[in-house]
Structure formats: structure tokens, C-alpha cells
Amino acid sequence: MSNIPETGRTPRVQIRLVVIQVLVFSLLLTLGGRLWYLQIRNGQEYTDEAKNNGVQRVVQPAVRGSILDARGVPLADNETRLVVSASRTELMKMKDDGKGVLTRLAGVLGMKPKDVMDKVRLCDSETPQPCWNGSPYQPIPVTAEATTQQALQIRERAEDFPGITAEPTAVRRYPAPGKSRTSQVLGYLSPVTDAEIEKAKDSDSPFLRSDQVGRSGLERTYDKELRGKAGVTRYEVDNLGRVIGEAKSDKAVPGANVVTSIDARVQAVAEWELHNAMLEARKTYDKNTSENYKADSGAVVVMEAKTGRIVAMASLPDYDPNAWVGGISGKDYAALTSKASNLPLLNRAIQGQAAPGSIFKVIPTTAAVNAGYEFNGRYPCPSSYSIGNQVFKNFESQGHGSITLGQALEVSCDTVYYALSHQQWQKDGGMKPKKNAKDWFYKTAHQFGLGAETGIDLPNEVSGRVPDRKWKQDFWAANKDYWCKVGKRGGTYVQQLSYENCLEGNLMRAGDSVNYSIGQGDTLVTPIQMATIYAAISNGGTMYNPTVGKAVVSPDGKKVTEIKPKSHGRLPMDTKTQALIEEALAGVATRGTAAWRFGGWPQDKIPMHAKTGTAEVYGKQTTSWFATYTKEYAIVMTISQGGTGSGASGPAVRNIYDALYGLDDSGHQDLKRALLPQPQKGLPKIEADGSIDAPKVTPYDPESQKVDPLKQAGGQTDATPPDDGTADPAKPDDAQDLAGPPATWRRD
């Protein structure tokens, strides 16, 4: 037992309790004071500092999907390059706005300092290319073609290049298989803009500041599918930029692949043949202007007749889409947009508008039948047709006697259509139209799809023009003031025309209808519209929306979304009329205006149908048109200021068919040489890792498709039809038993 008295313990315990209480109250008081200091006295200061802490996002761009041809050959894919980029945010913090750094960078890259500085400046309405139209907060590519040595210099001398990075990056590539560039069909990419980011922020496919987006062609149409989804890692950082934690991480999802109906081999042939046809046209003398043809631009469309799918589409002049990769240079941009380049960014297959000339005549032929004229009736084809004191001549002033509508198509007799159109104009009331005017010739053109877009899956298609009464009125209202200002009675041609238009430019005159009936005057069409029409004649009357995209395939190849053909109507002709027009178009290829280009063609095995066209344009040389089809394909070619249809475009179109079907000089078919005797049906196989076993495409060798001049000329060794004809023209009324049209050559 303890010897300490009980009374001695109590004071000690009490003292300890008091000391503990004092300590507790002191700590509480200290804590309260500190809280007051932090939250009240200096609360705003710490609140401001806390605001500087935030979340920074590190973006891993998604690999953009490939654009493939029908057999899986890449038309657009990606490759790894060393990309040198500049951070505008870092450069602007420097006293000289980064000029010193960019100058040093230019020295390493072998570029001019001005070119480097132009690339990192921001685009606005007053700043010409090159400039940066993406976000100012993302790295701006200076070059995508840095060498390993250049990248090492930049990284090893980081203190000399603050704000500059050199990293391996996947960039777009346009490999041009078989030298087929497919420029305007593919399009190009450029950085997303702040306006686009803002517009798409609430959509199901918002943009990130690092995104590249399609600006034209398939890159634009299928941008959402091709782009994929970028990976984003979010880091919590303090006000000094130090990482204090990882908030969230989303993996990048690669873009899907777009399989097209383009065949790279046929595309190479189409591009080469169009280019060569233009070169040959420039060697040909134009007796109307006393100089060679300029042949300044052209286009060709190869279409599957039964589906509307595009097998090849070429437009010249063209450009190299790779020029846009990593940002286009000032020199390249100036070359693409200058007048001297003749607008290579324009896809003339869907944006080039011109009068169609005689390839238009399938429309007034149909209109005449629908208006009550017999297809096999007899119609005079004199050398000219007069309205008052105005004379409208037949092409080369040739007459063909009394012929049917089918024969009028074969020999391309203008005066038959002049007369029919004039008669209908008179029945509708002439200058004072009836309230319910039939307007068969104009209404039929609209029913054929003219004056409207075809619906092709490429951006910026134009609609062309059907110059009917409504268009005349609207056009007059828009231009009346100008015409009245410059018009002068008895002045120059333009002044006199303006004077007349000022007074009655809104009225449909007889001459307007007569010119319109042969695809002249104010009529404008595009090659894709005419290809759609001739394909529809081939397939029995269905007008398909032309399509380039065939399917969208997921990166692993497991999900396939087919892009099925869609129709936008039927031709306004019955089965009988369709068969009669088809027979006449076959006659054009065998004994009519295109016969001299299809000598030796195996008509019994592969029936060919054609229509030639030579359109006159005020102030320019004639436009060449050649429209054709078989059971499988429709091909339409046009060359601006190129001359006649069969003369300039004919040989090239024939050579494209020879390559498709594998025909030799004597017309015999070798399927081993045939590129595509039947349209491609299946889709290429894409492996789980995204790889594609694509066949190689060799450049087109025209020598392997060399054409015997005798075959081309139908027996004429100089490949030129005689101007005076090979037979006497038919005489009026005494040639009723003609089995076919007169054998007179006509270069249309």
C-alpha cells in the first residue's frame, strides 16, 4: 500500500487538469486566429491564387481514316513524319515576339525567315495565305518534312529554340497510286477554326483545337467518319504549371476508313487521256479564230450505268493535295489561286458549267415525242432555218433532206430541232405566252434533272441552268439597270444586245427557244449531270444520285456501313421512246457523227452508244463534248476551247473504253488486259489491325493501248473525216425507205 496521504493527490490532479485546459484553449484560440487570418484577412488573396490552379489537357490526335479505292488501294492515308511546330503562346511572351527564335529556326530548316514567320501568323480578312487559321493556342506546324538531323539540332539546342518542338507525327498523305492524283475528288485538310469549334461544341461530334478538318472533296463530305476521336488526358496543375494529379484520361479512337467506287487504275487512264486530249487539241488549228485551240480546261466522268457510282472523275488543271499537308506555302497557294493557273481547285466535273451543244439533243427529242410528234415521222433537215430576217444555220451548213428524229440525232441535224422548238414556241403564245403554256422543251429539261444538283456526295456541286421563262424574268430583273446603262442602239454587238435586253430581256423570244433546242444560248450543264442522264438511258430510265463513297468501314474492319445507290427520279420517256433513242445513239457510234472514232468496235459484243457535241460560246473557241454509254458504263468528256466533240474528246473516250474492256487495235477483247470489264462488286478486306492487302497499281502505259489510226478513222488514214462527205446527202421526200441516216460525215 502507498504511504502517501490521500489528501496529497488531489491538488496535483487539479493542477494537471488546469494546465491541459489552458493548452486546449490556447490551441483553439490559435486555430481560430489562423482561420480568421486565412479566410477573412487574406481570404481574397488565397482565393485568387486557387483560381490559378486548373486542369490542363494533353491531346493525342486520332489517326485519320484512309480513303480507299474500290479494291482497297489507298488514295489518302497517313505516314509518320518529323513535324516542327511553334507555340505562338510562348513566342508572344518574348520581347521580340519570337522573331529571333523563328529566324534561327529558319536557318536550321533551310527556309527564309519571312516564310517561317508567315506560317505562324494568324489568318484574318486582311492577311493573305500562308497564315494559320487554326486555334492560336495549339502548336502551329512550320514544316512536316524535317530531317532527322534538323530535329536533333532543335532538340539538342532547346535553349535556343524555346516554344519550338520537333516530334514524329502521323500526317496525311496522298500517294497518287499509278500517278492518279484524284485531286479535286479527294480534297485536302486544314486546321479547325475557333468559329468551327464554337459552332460544333454542342453537337455529337465537337472539335478539339488540334483537329484537322476536310475543306473539300471526300475529306470534307466524310470528315466526321474519317476524323475519329482524339485522346485527351486531363492533368490537375497548380498556378506554376506543376502537375498535382491526373483527373481523367480518354483513349484516342482512330477514324473509320472510307471505301470509294473509284478504281485507281481507271482513274490513272482517265487523267492521262484527258491531259493528252488537251495537248493534242492545242496542236489543232481553229479556222474560226485563226489560231490553235487553247484547250484550257477539261473534265471526264466514268460512271457505273446501273448504280450511278463513280469509277473515275478527272478535272484539269489539277493540283497535288500533298501541298496542303503541314500548311501550304505562300508560293504554292499563289500558284493555286492565280489567274494563270486557271483555278485548279475547281472540280470541273461537278462545278464546271458550259453549254452542252448537241449532246443535249436527247432532251428535245424526248420533249418532241411528249409534245405529240412521231419519233419516226419525217422532218425536213435543210441547211438553214429562218425566222424573220434571222438565219440559223445547220452545223457546217449541211442539209440532209427529210429524216426521222432518230436520224436527226445520228447526223446531229440542228434545223430539225430549230423548227420543232419554234413551232412549240408559237403554240405557247410566242412573245405573249398563254396562261398555261406547255413549255415542253423547258419542262422536259427539268424532268431530266437539269437546273438542279444531282446529289453527288461531293461538296459545292452547282446546278447549271435551264433558261426557261421564270429564269428569264429573274435574270432581267437582276440585270435591267446595267443593261439600260450600257446599252446603245446600233452600237457594238454587246451594246446592241444590252439595248435589246433593257427593253425586253424578260421575254422569251423565238431565237431564245431555237438556240436552246440544240443546247446553246443560256443553257448551262455540268459533266456530272450529262453522265447521269446518259447512264439513265442505259439502265432503262432510272436517274441515280452519283456517289463516290461506297462504304464506311471501322478501323478493325468489323463494322461495315454500305452507302447504297439512291434514285432521284426517272427519265420522262416511256419504254418505246427509250428504245428508239437508244437505237439512234447506237447509230451515232456506228454510222453517225461518232462513227469515225469507233471504227472496229465490237458492236455485237459490247453495244456502244454515243452523242457528239460542239458548243459555241461568245468570245471563246468551241467547247468539245462527247457523251457515251455501254451496258456497264457511261463516260462523258468535255474540253473547254477544245474544238469539236468527236475531234478533241473522241479519241480519249475511246481509249478509256479500250482500257476498261481490254480491247486491242482490231477490237478483240483480252480479259487479262481488261481493267474493269464489269463494275467492282465486293469490298476490300480490312484486317483487325487496320492493315489492307491492297494490290499494286502501275502507271498507265498508253503504248499498251495504242490505237491503229485506221481503226480510229474508220478507214481514213489521216484520222480526219472528209469535209465534203463520203456520200450524197439524201434528197427530200424521195428517201423514205432509208434504213439509216445519210452516210455524210459530220465533225460535231
Side-chain angles (χ1 to χ4, degrees), residues 467-487:
D468 53 18
R469 297 182 194 276
K470 182 180 183 306
W471 177 85
K472 288 281 288 185
Q473 181 64 38
D474 293 343
F475 191 68
W476 178 76
N479 294 278
K480 178 184 177 183
D481 292 343
Y482 171 77
W483 284 331
C484 294
K485 180 179 179 181
V486 303

Side-chain angles (χ1 to χ4, degrees), residues 84 107-110 143 145-155 166:
V84 175
V108 171
L109 298 177
T143 180
E145 298 178 350
T147 65
T148 304
Q149 186 62 33
Q150 289 169 338
L152 287 173
Q153 287 187 58
I154 293 169
R155 301 186 72 168

Side-chain angles (χ1 to χ4, degrees), residues 14 120 130 177 204 225 238 242 313 382 393 409 420 449 477 503 587 660 690 695 744:
Q14 290 178 341
V120 300
D204 59 351
E225 292 82 358
D238 61 17
R242 295 173 298 195
M313 177 181 285
K393 293 184 178 182
L409 273 177
L420 294 176
L503 296 179
L660 280 167
T744 304

Side-chain angles (χ1 to χ4, degrees), residues 240-409:
L240 296 178
R242 295 173 298 195
V243 176
I244 59 177
E246 182 176 325
K248 188 179 180 182
S249 180
D250 298 320
K251 291 184 178 180
V253 179
N257 299 300
V258 173
V259 178
T260 71
S261 53
I262 297 287
D263 187 297
R265 301 168 301 172
V266 182
Q267 179 71 26
V269 175
E271 290 184 14
W272 195 97
E273 289 295 345
L274 175 61
H275 174 72
N276 188 62
M278 292 170 61
L279 291 180
E280 291 300 315
R282 292 169 192 161
K283 301 176 185 177
T284 306
Y285 184 73
D286 178 12
K287 62 183 179 181
N288 294 319
T289 60
S290 301
E291 61 179 341
N292 286 2
Y293 287 106
K294 294 181 175 65
D296 54 357
S297 61
V300 61
V301 175
V302 182
M303 177 186 290
E304 292 181 10
K306 297 178 181 178
T307 63
R309 298 191 189 280
I310 303 300
V311 178
M313 177 181 285
S315 175
L316 290 178
D318 65 354
Y319 63 95
D320 183 1
N322 290 297
W324 295 87
V325 176
I328 191 167
S329 69
K331 180 181 179 181
D332 287 342
Y333 187 81
L336 291 177
T337 55
S338 68
K339 289 184 178 180
S341 67
N342 198 14
L343 306 176
L345 298 179
L346 193 71
N347 184 350
R348 286 173 166 81
I350 66 171
Q351 296 172 293
Q353 303 180 104
S358 293
I359 67 168
F360 180 78
K361 286 176 181 172
V362 294
I363 295 169
T365 300
T366 305
V369 173
N370 291 346
Y373 294 90
E374 287 292 332
F375 190 94
N376 287 321
R378 311 300 297 190
Y379 305 94
C381 176
S383 62
S384 65
Y385 185 83
S386 298
I387 300 177
N389 60 357
Q390 193 170 8
V391 178
F392 297 87
K393 293 184 178 182
N394 205 9
F395 190 87
E396 295 184 348
S397 299
Q398 292 178 344
H400 296 285
S402 180
I403 59 177
T404 66
L405 288 179
Q407 292 169 340
L409 273 177

Side-chain angles (χ1 to χ4, degrees), residues 445-614:
H446 285 293
Q447 292 172 331
F448 267 77
L450 297 184
E453 297 175 9
T454 63
I456 189 171
D457 55 344
L458 291 174
N460 303 319
E461 180 189 5
V462 298
S463 60
R465 181 168 68 208
V466 177
D468 53 18
R469 297 182 194 276
K470 182 180 183 306
W471 177 85
K472 288 281 288 185
Q473 181 64 38
D474 293 343
F475 191 68
W476 178 76
N479 294 278
K480 178 184 177 183
D481 292 343
Y482 171 77
W483 284 331
C484 294
K485 180 179 179 181
V486 303
K488 181 181 179 181
R489 185 175 185 179
T492 64
Y493 173 80
V494 173
Q495 289 174 329
Q496 177 65 26
L497 186 63
S498 297
Y499 171 77
E500 295 173 1
N501 283 334
C502 171
L503 296 179
E504 53 181 27
N506 60 327
L507 300 179
M508 183 68 72
R509 292 173 286 219
D512 294 325
S513 290
V514 164
N515 275 326
Y516 166 78
S517 70
I518 61 166
Q520 293 283 175
D522 294 310
T523 308
L524 293 176
V525 303
T526 63
I528 194 66
Q529 288 175 326
M530 300 312 295
T532 301
I533 288 171
Y534 278 83
I537 298 174
S538 172
N539 68 39
T542 301
M543 292 184 289
Y544 285 102
N545 296 6
T547 52
V548 183
K550 194 173 183 180
V552 176
V553 184
S554 63
D556 59 6
K558 294 181 179 179
K559 183 179 179 181
V560 178
T561 304
E562 186 178 354
I563 302 168
K564 296 183 179 180
K566 294 181 180 179
S567 167
H568 60 265
R570 290 189 58 81
L571 297 178
M573 61 176 71
D574 58 25
T575 303
K576 179 181 177 182
T577 302
Q578 190 269 339
L580 290 169
I581 287 179
E582 188 163 42
E583 181 181 355
L585 294 176
V588 173
T590 56
R591 57 183 180 265
T593 59
W596 69 303
R597 289 307 188 194
F598 285 104
W601 181 265
Q603 190 72 10
D604 56 334
K605 296 179 180 178
I606 309 172
M608 174 61 66
H609 308 78
K611 188 71 194 81
T612 57
T614 305

Side-chain angles (χ1 to χ4, degrees), residues 687-722:
E687 303 295 340
D689 62 356
S691 62
I692 306 165
D693 186 16
K696 292 183 179 180
V697 179
T698 57
Y700 171 56
D701 179 13
E703 289 300 317
S704 66
Q705 304 291 336
K706 195 169 184 179
V707 178
D708 185 347
L710 287 174
K711 180 184 73 171
Q712 285 284 53
Q716 299 296 319
T717 56
D718 61 355
T720 303

Side-chain angles (χ1 to χ4, degrees), residues 265 600-602 605-606 654-678 704-705 711:
R265 301 168 301 172
W601 181 265
K605 296 179 180 178
I606 309 172
R654 170 65 187 267
N655 290 343
I656 295 172
Y657 276 118
D658 284 348
L660 280 167
Y661 289 109
L663 298 173
D664 61 18
D665 290 346
S666 59
H668 294 139
Q669 187 176 31
D670 181 357
L671 291 178
K672 293 181 179 179
R673 295 173 58 232
L675 296 182
L676 203 63
Q678 294 291 331
S704 66
Q705 304 291 336
K711 180 184 73 171

